[in-house]
Amino acid sequence: MTPGVGSGLQRAQSFMVLATLLYRASHLTVGLLALARSRPGHPVQYAGLAAALGLSVLVYGTALRRGWFDRWHIRADVLVSGCALPFALWAWGGVQDPASMGWAMLLGGSASAAAAVALERFQVPAAIALLVLTHLIGYRLVGAGPAVLAGHVNSLVFSAAMAWVFWWYLRRQGRLLDEANARALAAEAHKARYAERLEHHRALHDTVLATLTTLAAGGLDANAPQVRERCGREAAYLRRLIQQTADEVHHREIGAALEEAIGSVESLQLRVTARYHDLPQVPPEVAAAFADAAREALNNVRRHAGTGHAYLTAAGESQEGGGAVVTVVDRGPGFDPERYVPGLGLRGSVHRRMAEVGGRATVDTAPGEGVRVELRWPG
């Protein structure tokens, strides 16, 4: 699974890339100092160091940019910097003693460390064995003694072992951190859903239950226009509540703001069918802009559409940043947008309100096709 941005696993990867980069930088520095002391150096030695430097830039530059190593780059580094370079220096670079070969051999240690954390599990022993074998042969070619051979093999093996242990520990801690964060987010979501249910329970108690209790006690005339209007609003609220599934519970800010806008126009004899799906958390000013723009769009339906019914949908957008889209639709006669000059309501309460918070509003209509107003944030 690809780690998310800022996740514990990604941080562990970034640390290992930086740690192995510093390890390689120390070995390249030793090579630069060694060649600087051996003037005039052989051109092949400078070419070898330049090749190792260029390959290091490719390996670690790509890793820093992408967040982790490219395995093909690691394999190339093992073969070129770790294995081929010592033989090239011995064959064409005039290196005939262990001291002159030492800086090139050091690169094998940083190559083994990167291989231990980046390659697949079964490939790591093969890479380490190849480095050990080639370095033993290379040191024997320049007459290194048993102590040098043993020390260098120890360095190769334990560079890989320590890097793997560090990577295993950091990866484990990163995953534990991600799991803890996931549990915390789930707990917050559960808490928000519980608070949402409590809010609905209070609203039901104060509206539907109060109305039914009063009607049952005979304190109201059920046929009175005001009572019928109130029952209609509360039935619409119950309908929207039932239609919401557990995954579609809206966040309080935008959902409550839209419900308030719908309630205000329903009191003016406009019936609204509303549906919500996966609404994101938005800033309060954005929720207010959505509500005010939707209220004006619904008022336009009541005033101009010649119909007593409007449809409102609100949904989150699957994009980074938690965007949202609210649409208001009617099945009225529509109009010709080429011949219609937007009034103050559309210009000020719809388009301008959305623009002020970084959103936008669009109106789609044609004669006989009704009107569709879309509110989108971010725009």
Side-chain angles (χ1 to χ4, degrees):
M1 180 180 65
T2 302
V5 175
S7 69
L9 187 55
Q10 186 204 35
R11 293 172 185 175
Q13 289 179 337
S14 297
F15 179 86
M16 285 308 304
V17 170
L18 181 60
T20 51
L21 169 61
L22 293 175
Y23 195 31
R24 170 57 59 88
S26 70
H27 293 167
L28 291 172
T29 302
V30 171
L32 287 171
L33 294 176
L35 293 184
R37 288 197 304 267
S38 61
R39 297 191 185 121
H42 197 286
V44 172
Q45 297 184 29
Y46 291 107
L49 181 60
L53 179 60
L55 190 55
S56 299
V57 170
L58 173 65
V59 171
Y60 293 98
T62 301
L64 290 172
R65 186 172 64 254
R66 297 180 181 177
W68 194 235
F69 294 105
D70 184 294
R71 287 174 176 170
W72 285 106
H73 293 170
I74 294 296
R75 296 184 187 108
D77 185 56
V78 170
L79 293 175
V80 176
S81 300
C83 298
L85 182 58
F87 289 108
L89 296 180
W90 173 78
W92 301 295
V95 173
Q96 298 297 324
D97 61 274
S100 301
M101 182 75 79
W103 69 266
M105 293 300 196
L106 282 177
L107 294 174
S110 51
S112 70
V117 301
L119 296 183
E120 296 175 359
R121 183 174 300 178
F122 70 92
Q123 294 178 347
V124 173
I128 305 306
L130 180 62
L131 286 168
V132 169
L133 178 62
T134 54
H135 281 218
L136 285 175
I137 295 173
Y139 262 138
R140 291 298 294 172
L141 290 174
V142 294
V148 173
L149 294 176
H152 188 67
V153 169
N154 179 76
S155 175
L156 285 174
V157 173
F158 277 91
S159 292
M162 286 190 294
W164 185 87
V165 169
F166 289 154
W167 171 229
W168 172 83
Y169 177 78
L170 289 171
R171 181 171 53 187
R172 180 175 179 272
Q173 295 303 311
R175 285 174 175 166
L176 290 175
L177 177 61
D178 289 341
E179 291 172 1
N181 287 336
R183 288 193 297 270
L185 290 174
E188 285 296 322
H190 178 75
K191 182 179 179 181
R193 287 194 295 270
Y194 180 70
E196 188 78 21
R197 287 196 296 271
L198 286 180
E199 184 176 341
H200 284 309
H201 293 166
R202 295 188 187 103
L204 289 172
H205 176 272
D206 296 340
T207 57
V208 178
L209 184 58
T211 301
L212 292 175
T213 302
T214 305
L215 287 173
L220 289 176
D221 180 6
N223 292 318
Q226 297 86 350
V227 175
R228 296 176 65 183
E229 176 188 336
R230 175 166 178 165
C231 289
R233 289 200 308 269
E234 292 174 0
Y237 172 71
L238 279 176
R239 190 177 301 110
R240 289 192 293 272
L241 184 61
I242 292 170
Q243 288 170 347
Q244 293 173 5
T245 66
D247 293 332
E248 294 173 339
V249 174
H250 53 266
H251 286 287
R252 186 180 187 280
E253 287 84 354
I254 187 171
L258 289 173
E259 281 291 321
E260 183 179 350
I262 291 170
S264 69
V265 296
E266 284 183 328
S267 65
L268 300 176
Q269 307 300 319
L270 178 68
R271 186 161 62 95
V272 180
T273 298
R275 292 182 182 274
Y276 306 102
H277 177 69
D278 197 22
L279 289 183
Q281 197 87 23
V282 299
E285 63 273 15
V286 175
F290 268 125
D292 291 338
R295 180 185 292 109
E296 181 58 26
L298 291 169
N299 283 332
N300 283 337
V301 175
R302 182 180 58 82
R303 289 193 296 260
H304 305 302
T307 176
H309 193 182
Y311 303 86
L312 182 145
T313 61
E317 284 195 303
S318 57
Q319 65 178 37
E320 186 177 346
V325 178
V326 176
T327 60
V328 176
V329 177
D330 68 68
R331 295 175 179 172
F335 58 87
D336 185 355
E338 298 293 332
R339 303 176 60 182
Y340 172 76
V341 178
L344 179 62
L346 272 179
R347 292 198 312 269
S349 294
V350 179
H351 291 285
R352 189 174 301 165
R353 285 187 185 279
M354 294 305 299
E356 286 174 352
V357 295
R360 62 184 171 90
T362 57
V363 179
D364 183 17
T365 183
E369 298 295 332
V371 178
R372 181 179 186 273
V373 178
E374 180 183 271
L375 312 174
R376 183 180 297 272
W377 180 87

